[in-house]
Amino acid sequence: MNTTKKIILVPVDFSEQSLIALSHAEEMAKTLKGTLLLLHVQIEQGLITSFFSAEEDDKVTQEIWARMNALCDEVEQRSGIRTSPLVAKGKVYEEVVRLSEITGATFIVMGTNGSETIRKRFIGSNALRVVRESRVPVISIKGKPEHVGFRNIILPLDLTKETREKVNKAIELSRNFNAQVKVVSILMTDDEDVVNKLQLQMNQVRNFLERAEVKYTAELINAPEGKDNLGEEVVNYANNNGGDLIMIMTQQETNFTELFIGSAAQEVINNAAIPVCSIVPNVKKDTTVFLPY
């Protein structure tokens, strides 16, 4: 059993969306008996900085530290969770990724938005860059989900070797949050070979979850006729089945067609109204077959 202290890194820019993400991170920290690190990144202004004196720049930094310390105190008083501030300067996504590695973060929890405005495009693009480059699982949160915590974890399957990593993480979260795992394979093709492989994988995952003794359901379903957007269908499935969290892999092998990669992952992150947990697979030996440790 992993007894390492859980650390949740939360990028904060004091916007409503980042504070919504913080509320979810608080609930996670309570359940995981972990700590919170709140990170604010001062964006590099390039040549614009030459218009400001060093004294003015220091004043801004001091004000940010004051706000971060106040926010940490507020969280600790509200939830009793040990909360510490971090302030960095640079590109947001680079600093989030860098500090997640330095601090040994277990999760990054950050807000993201759609693309209706320049501000939302900015927030959204940073979240996607973090998801793409982080080795730490990223839980991105768009909008204001109905509640915090996880009761139903949506686990879409594909034909990649890294699926086991996603299943293992789903089991871990299921146990921590007493949640049900809802496994789904969405058929985007009638190719018999692909269908048979997905059915075999589904059976393997069923057996794995049963041995882990977690609550689960498992479905192999056809995409509606005329629909060919896998990411959209995953989001629809989550909406129709009480999903609280969708788990996806973000960098996967392309040995087969219709894999859950690239644009599908981005579609889910951009459009899901519930949190999305993105996992980058580790480089390891073939784990296609679900063998016990």
Side-chain angles (χ1 to χ4, degrees), residues 79-138:
S79 60
I81 299 167
R82 182 182 173 188
T83 307
S84 303
L86 292 171
V87 176
K89 183 176 291 186
K91 294 181 179 178
V92 174
Y93 66 89
E94 288 181 351
E95 292 305 304
V96 172
V97 171
R98 183 178 71 87
L99 286 166
S100 70
E101 295 173 354
I102 290 175
T103 61
T106 311
F107 290 98
I108 298 169
V109 178
M110 67 184 302
T112 183
N113 286 301
S115 57
E116 291 85 357
T117 67
I118 292 176
R119 170 65 173 169
K120 289 184 176 182
R121 280 199 297 272
F122 177 75
I123 295 174
S125 64
N126 273 311
L128 288 173
R129 289 295 294 268
V130 171
V131 166
R132 187 159 59 243
E133 299 186 20
S134 173
R135 304 303 304 182
V136 175
V138 179

Side-chain angles (χ1 to χ4, degrees), residues 201-211 216 218-219:
Q201 184 195 63
M202 177 70 76
N203 292 337
Q204 292 174 341
V205 173
R206 284 176 188 265
N207 293 334
F208 198 58
L209 292 171
E210 286 175 4
R211 290 200 298 271
Y216 79 93
E219 294 184 86

Side-chain angles (χ1 to χ4, degrees), residues 16 18 20 35 38 79 116 159 181 210:
E16 180 183 10
S18 70
I20 289 172
T35 62
L38 309 190
S79 60
E116 291 85 357
L159 291 176
V181 178
E210 286 175 4

Side-chain angles (χ1 to χ4, degrees), residues 124-188:
S125 64
N126 273 311
L128 288 173
R129 289 295 294 268
V130 171
V131 166
R132 187 159 59 243
E133 299 186 20
S134 173
R135 304 303 304 182
V136 175
V138 179
I139 296 181
S140 53
I141 298 173
K142 175 180 178 289
K144 189 174 184 179
E146 292 182 6
H147 62 86
V148 295
F150 310 128
R151 299 170 301 180
N152 294 301
I153 299 171
I154 306 301
L155 186 66
L157 297 183
D158 51 53
L159 291 176
T160 57
K161 290 189 279 188
E162 292 83 1
T163 290
R164 176 173 176 173
E165 290 182 57
K166 187 166 58 174
V167 176
N168 282 336
K169 187 61 68 175
I171 289 171
E172 178 186 338
L173 289 175
S174 173
R175 288 171 172 166
N176 286 327
F177 289 91
N178 192 30
Q180 182 180 50
V181 178
K182 295 193 172 186
V183 185
V184 61
S185 284
I186 300 176
L187 298 176
M188 308 298 291

Side-chain angles (χ1 to χ4, degrees), residues 33-44:
K33 296 180 173 56
T35 62
L36 292 172
L37 286 177
L38 309 190
L39 168 64
H40 180 83
V41 181
Q42 291 180 262
I43 302 169
E44 287 183 327

Side-chain angles (χ1 to χ4, degrees), residues 40-54:
H40 180 83
V41 181
Q42 291 180 262
I43 302 169
E44 287 183 327
Q45 300 296 326
L47 294 176
I48 297 177
T49 56
S50 62
F51 291 99
F52 299 94
S53 67

